[in-house]
Amino acid sequence: MVLQGFFLQNHKFYIDNARLEQWSVLTDLTLVLEKGLSFQSHSLVLAAVSTVIQKMLQERTEEKMCLRLGPEVSGLGLSAVLEFAYTGNLTGLDRESLAQIQKAALYLGVPRVLELCKEEEDRKKRESDGSKKVEEMKKISAEEQMEASLRSIRQLWAEGVGCDVELEAEGIVYHGKEI
């Protein structure tokens, strides 16, 4: 038995989970696009950024979950949301991908991605207006995004969401996921 909860102490958690996600190892959530393309994910990682997945996880009745997404969600948009969930980055955000990423983020309830899309829209609007005034907006780094996700995961674990194992040591109860 492996308990994932012990990896939450540092960013190694995200590096390891990103590798696992690439290989679809130990995933418990399948996201299926209308055209049949499917993506494997770790529900707890995605629940840290997605209100829809968080709700699914809280109401979970089966070990593995599957979510069929609406026709408005594209592979590109979903890939971007997954990249953000695993790394804190949103590297493919540009004029061409903006609408697809927004639709996926809106469908899955990912407010931090929607905020990044809004910032990109505002930046593009300022550029197209020929505005000489460049406002320095505090941009949240990928590391800060990961910290926010880790806080969310810690809170979910504290509430026992997504956990099916409790380990007590020295009077402290640790929630975990049996894999």
Side-chain angles (χ1 to χ4, degrees):
M1 171 174 47
V2 176
L3 296 175
Q4 288 181 337
F6 296 105
F7 294 106
L8 295 178
Q9 301 307 313
N10 58 42
H11 296 299
K12 185 177 183 326
F13 171 79
Y14 272 89
I15 294 166
D16 290 344
N17 256 353
R19 287 185 192 139
L20 291 176
E21 189 264 342
Q22 288 173 347
W23 301 322
S24 295
V25 175
L26 305 174
T27 58
D28 61 348
L29 173 63
T30 303
L31 301 163
V32 183
L33 298 176
E34 186 178 70
K35 295 180 180 179
L37 183 63
S38 65
F39 293 77
Q40 300 296 315
S41 179
H42 300 90
S43 59
L44 196 59
V45 173
L46 199 49
V49 298
S50 167
T51 58
V52 170
I53 302 303
Q54 191 175 107
K55 186 174 186 309
M56 277 181 69
L57 198 55
Q58 289 168 335
E59 298 170 354
R60 174 186 233 159
T61 57
E62 298 178 17
E63 190 168 320
K64 291 214 175 241
M65 299 184 301
C66 182
L67 177 62
R68 297 195 178 282
L69 304 172
E72 63 272 29
V73 180
S74 69
L76 185 142
L78 181 56
S79 292
V81 168
L82 288 170
E83 175 193 17
F84 180 81
Y86 279 94
T87 68
N89 285 316
L90 198 56
T91 56
L93 184 59
D94 58 28
R95 187 177 304 234
E96 290 76 36
S97 65
L98 182 66
Q100 293 178 64
I101 294 171
Q102 281 177 315
K103 287 176 186 174
L106 189 58
Y107 193 94
L108 291 168
V110 186
R112 288 189 283 147
V113 169
L114 289 170
E115 189 176 305
L116 291 171
C117 289
K118 173 86 170 91
E119 288 173 9
E120 179 66 12
E121 281 180 326
D122 292 348
R123 189 180 70 77
K124 293 291 183 190
K125 186 173 187 218
R126 283 191 307 273
E127 281 178 7
S128 68
D129 289 348
S131 177
K132 301 275 185 200
K133 181 182 175 188
V134 177
E135 296 174 25
E136 275 301 313
M137 296 174 59
K138 184 185 182 301
K139 197 162 188 159
I140 299 174
S141 71
E143 185 174 326
E144 291 169 311
Q145 294 287 4
M146 288 176 21
E147 284 292 334
S149 293
L150 283 171
R151 284 191 300 275
S152 179
I153 289 172
R154 284 187 187 109
Q155 182 62 39
L156 291 169
W157 282 80
E159 295 169 4
V161 175
C163 303
D164 54 13
V165 174
E166 281 188 3
L167 176 66
E168 186 173 347
E170 297 179 4
I172 300 172
V173 175
Y174 297 93
H175 296 281
K177 173 112 179 89
E178 184 176 349
I179 307 176

PDB file of all heavy atoms in Angstrom, residues 118-132:
ATOM      1  N   LYS A 118      -8.501  35.872 -18.487  1.00  0.00           N
ATOM      2  CA  LYS A 118      -8.951  37.268 -18.425  1.00  0.00           C
ATOM      3  C   LYS A 118      -7.757  38.212 -18.495  1.00  0.00           C
ATOM      4  O   LYS A 118      -7.793  39.219 -19.219  1.00  0.00           O
ATOM      5  CB  LYS A 118      -9.745  37.495 -17.130  1.00  0.00           C
ATOM      6  CG  LYS A 118     -10.133  38.928 -16.864  1.00  0.00           C
ATOM      7  CD  LYS A 118     -11.422  39.285 -17.554  1.00  0.00           C
ATOM      8  CE  LYS A 118     -11.952  40.623 -17.118  1.00  0.00           C
ATOM      9  NZ  LYS A 118     -11.504  41.743 -17.913  1.00  0.00           N
ATOM     10  N   GLU A 119      -6.690  37.880 -17.788  1.00  0.00           N
ATOM     11  CA  GLU A 119      -5.477  38.706 -17.838  1.00  0.00           C
ATOM     12  C   GLU A 119      -4.921  38.752 -19.257  1.00  0.00           C
ATOM     13  O   GLU A 119      -4.493  39.802 -19.725  1.00  0.00           O
ATOM     14  CB  GLU A 119      -4.418  38.162 -16.878  1.00  0.00           C
ATOM     15  CG  GLU A 119      -4.744  38.384 -15.423  1.00  0.00           C
ATOM     16  CD  GLU A 119      -3.778  37.685 -14.488  1.00  0.00           C
ATOM     17  OE1 GLU A 119      -2.735  37.160 -14.938  1.00  0.00           O
ATOM     18  OE2 GLU A 119      -4.070  37.650 -13.275  1.00  0.00           O
ATOM     19  N   GLU A 120      -4.948  37.618 -19.953  1.00  0.00           N
ATOM     20  CA  GLU A 120      -4.452  37.567 -21.331  1.00  0.00           C
ATOM     21  C   GLU A 120      -5.353  38.400 -22.249  1.00  0.00           C
ATOM     22  O   GLU A 120      -4.854  39.131 -23.107  1.00  0.00           O
ATOM     23  CB  GLU A 120      -4.391  36.120 -21.820  1.00  0.00           C
ATOM     24  CG  GLU A 120      -3.919  35.949 -23.250  1.00  0.00           C
ATOM     25  CD  GLU A 120      -2.471  36.343 -23.494  1.00  0.00           C
ATOM     26  OE1 GLU A 120      -1.712  36.562 -22.522  1.00  0.00           O
ATOM     27  OE2 GLU A 120      -2.085  36.450 -24.668  1.00  0.00           O
ATOM     28  N   GLU A 121      -6.672  38.311 -22.067  1.00  0.00           N
ATOM     29  CA  GLU A 121      -7.596  39.140 -22.850  1.00  0.00           C
ATOM     30  C   GLU A 121      -7.320  40.619 -22.632  1.00  0.00           C
ATOM     31  O   GLU A 121      -7.274  41.395 -23.586  1.00  0.00           O
ATOM     32  CB  GLU A 121      -9.051  38.844 -22.459  1.00  0.00           C
ATOM     33  CG  GLU A 121      -9.623  37.607 -23.052  1.00  0.00           C
ATOM     34  CD  GLU A 121     -11.071  37.403 -22.617  1.00  0.00           C
ATOM     35  OE1 GLU A 121     -11.438  37.756 -21.467  1.00  0.00           O
ATOM     36  OE2 GLU A 121     -11.837  36.879 -23.439  1.00  0.00           O
ATOM     37  N   ASP A 122      -7.149  41.006 -21.379  1.00  0.00           N
ATOM     38  CA  ASP A 122      -6.874  42.406 -21.053  1.00  0.00           C
ATOM     39  C   ASP A 122      -5.566  42.867 -21.686  1.00  0.00           C
ATOM     40  O   ASP A 122      -5.481  43.977 -22.216  1.00  0.00           O
ATOM     41  CB  ASP A 122      -6.832  42.618 -19.539  1.00  0.00           C
ATOM     42  CG  ASP A 122      -8.188  42.441 -18.876  1.00  0.00           C
ATOM     43  OD1 ASP A 122      -9.208  42.385 -19.601  1.00  0.00           O
ATOM     44  OD2 ASP A 122      -8.227  42.329 -17.629  1.00  0.00           O
ATOM     45  N   ARG A 123      -4.558  42.025 -21.615  1.00  0.00           N
ATOM     46  CA  ARG A 123      -3.258  42.365 -22.202  1.00  0.00           C
ATOM     47  C   ARG A 123      -3.379  42.546 -23.710  1.00  0.00           C
ATOM     48  O   ARG A 123      -2.877  43.512 -24.278  1.00  0.00           O
ATOM     49  CB  ARG A 123      -2.239  41.275 -21.879  1.00  0.00           C
ATOM     50  CG  ARG A 123      -0.808  41.618 -22.257  1.00  0.00           C
ATOM     51  CD  ARG A 123       0.163  40.499 -21.927  1.00  0.00           C
ATOM     52  NE  ARG A 123      -0.009  39.339 -22.770  1.00  0.00           N
ATOM     53  CZ  ARG A 123       0.424  39.254 -24.024  1.00  0.00           C
ATOM     54  NH1 ARG A 123       1.023  40.272 -24.588  1.00  0.00           N
ATOM     55  NH2 ARG A 123       0.242  38.151 -24.721  1.00  0.00           N
ATOM     56  N   LYS A 124      -4.089  41.645 -24.375  1.00  0.00           N
ATOM     57  CA  LYS A 124      -4.290  41.731 -25.828  1.00  0.00           C
ATOM     58  C   LYS A 124      -5.081  42.986 -26.183  1.00  0.00           C
ATOM     59  O   LYS A 124      -4.800  43.636 -27.184  1.00  0.00           O
ATOM     60  CB  LYS A 124      -5.016  40.486 -26.357  1.00  0.00           C
ATOM     61  CG  LYS A 124      -4.215  39.229 -26.267  1.00  0.00           C
ATOM     62  CD  LYS A 124      -3.060  39.245 -27.224  1.00  0.00           C
ATOM     63  CE  LYS A 124      -2.325  37.929 -27.158  1.00  0.00           C
ATOM     64  NZ  LYS A 124      -1.081  37.967 -27.886  1.00  0.00           N
ATOM     65  N   LYS A 125      -6.075  43.308 -25.348  1.00  0.00           N
ATOM     66  CA  LYS A 125      -6.885  44.499 -25.607  1.00  0.00           C
ATOM     67  C   LYS A 125      -6.029  45.760 -25.512  1.00  0.00           C
ATOM     68  O   LYS A 125      -6.121  46.653 -26.353  1.00  0.00           O
ATOM     69  CB  LYS A 125      -8.053  44.571 -24.638  1.00  0.00           C
ATOM     70  CG  LYS A 125      -9.002  45.705 -24.949  1.00  0.00           C
ATOM     71  CD  LYS A 125     -10.230  45.672 -24.089  1.00  0.00           C
ATOM     72  CE  LYS A 125     -11.162  46.723 -24.612  1.00  0.00           C
ATOM     73  NZ  LYS A 125     -11.882  47.428 -23.627  1.00  0.00           N
ATOM     74  N   ARG A 126      -5.172  45.821 -24.502  1.00  0.00           N
ATOM     75  CA  ARG A 126      -4.281  46.984 -24.352  1.00  0.00           C
ATOM     76  C   ARG A 126      -3.347  47.091 -25.556  1.00  0.00           C
ATOM     77  O   ARG A 126      -3.104  48.186 -26.048  1.00  0.00           O
ATOM     78  CB  ARG A 126      -3.472  46.884 -23.057  1.00  0.00           C
ATOM     79  CG  ARG A 126      -4.264  47.231 -21.811  1.00  0.00           C
ATOM     80  CD  ARG A 126      -3.380  47.390 -20.588  1.00  0.00           C
ATOM     81  NE  ARG A 126      -2.498  46.269 -20.336  1.00  0.00           N
ATOM     82  CZ  ARG A 126      -2.804  45.171 -19.642  1.00  0.00           C
ATOM     83  NH1 ARG A 126      -4.012  45.069 -19.120  1.00  0.00           N
ATOM     84  NH2 ARG A 126      -1.935  44.214 -19.464  1.00  0.00           N
ATOM     85  N   GLU A 127      -2.854  45.954 -26.027  1.00  0.00           N
ATOM     86  CA  GLU A 127      -1.968  45.955 -27.198  1.00  0.00           C
ATOM     87  C   GLU A 127      -2.702  46.442 -28.439  1.00  0.00           C
ATOM     88  O   GLU A 127      -2.181  47.260 -29.196  1.00  0.00           O
ATOM     89  CB  GLU A 127      -1.432  44.542 -27.468  1.00  0.00           C
ATOM     90  CG  GLU A 127      -0.301  44.127 -26.593  1.00  0.00           C
ATOM     91  CD  GLU A 127       0.148  42.703 -26.891  1.00  0.00           C
ATOM     92  OE1 GLU A 127      -0.331  42.086 -27.876  1.00  0.00           O
ATOM     93  OE2 GLU A 127       0.989  42.199 -26.133  1.00  0.00           O
ATOM     94  N   SER A 128      -3.927  45.947 -28.640  1.00  0.00           N
ATOM     95  CA  SER A 128      -4.678  46.329 -29.840  1.00  0.00           C
ATOM     96  C   SER A 128      -5.145  47.776 -29.794  1.00  0.00           C
ATOM     97  O   SER A 128      -5.331  48.404 -30.829  1.00  0.00           O
ATOM     98  CB  SER A 128      -5.865  45.394 -30.056  1.00  0.00           C
ATOM     99  OG  SER A 128      -6.831  45.585 -29.053  1.00  0.00           O
ATOM    100  N   ASP A 129      -5.334  48.318 -28.607  1.00  0.00           N
ATOM    101  CA  ASP A 129      -5.722  49.723 -28.452  1.00  0.00           C
ATOM    102  C   ASP A 129      -4.534  50.652 -28.668  1.00  0.00           C
ATOM    103  O   ASP A 129      -4.714  51.869 -28.724  1.00  0.00           O
ATOM    104  CB  ASP A 129      -6.294  49.984 -27.049  1.00  0.00           C
ATOM    105  CG  ASP A 129      -7.656  49.355 -26.844  1.00  0.00           C
ATOM    106  OD1 ASP A 129      -8.264  48.921 -27.842  1.00  0.00           O
ATOM    107  OD2 ASP A 129      -8.094  49.277 -25.684  1.00  0.00           O
ATOM    108  N   GLY A 130      -3.352  50.067 -28.775  1.00  0.00           N
ATOM    109  CA  GLY A 130      -2.155  50.875 -28.945  1.00  0.00           C
ATOM    110  C   GLY A 130      -1.803  51.645 -27.689  1.00  0.00           C
ATOM    111  O   GLY A 130      -1.146  52.677 -27.743  1.00  0.00           O
ATOM    112  N   SER A 131      -2.272  51.157 -26.580  1.00  0.00           N
ATOM    113  CA  SER A 131      -2.026  51.832 -25.309  1.00  0.00           C
ATOM    114  C   SER A 131      -0.539  51.859 -24.994  1.00  0.00           C
ATOM    115  O   SER A 131       0.122  50.843 -24.979  1.00  0.00           O
ATOM    116  CB  SER A 131      -2.778  51.107 -24.188  1.00  0.00           C
ATOM    117  OG  SER A 131      -2.492  51.701 -22.957  1.00  0.00           O
ATOM    118  N   LYS A 132      -0.029  53.059 -24.784  1.00  0.00           N
ATOM    119  CA  LYS A 132       1.382  53.224 -24.417  1.00  0.00           C
ATOM    120  C   LYS A 132       1.591  52.868 -22.947  1.00  0.00           C
ATOM    121  O   LYS A 132       2.671  52.482 -22.547  1.00  0.00           O
ATOM    122  CB  LYS A 132       1.832  54.671 -24.652  1.00  0.00           C
ATOM    123  CG  LYS A 132       1.692  55.126 -26.064  1.00  0.00           C
ATOM    124  CD  LYS A 132       2.894  54.735 -26.857  1.00  0.00           C
ATOM    125  CE  LYS A 132       2.753  55.336 -28.257  1.00  0.00           C
ATOM    126  NZ  LYS A 132       3.569  54.692 -29.207  1.00  0.00           N
TER     127      LYS A 132
END
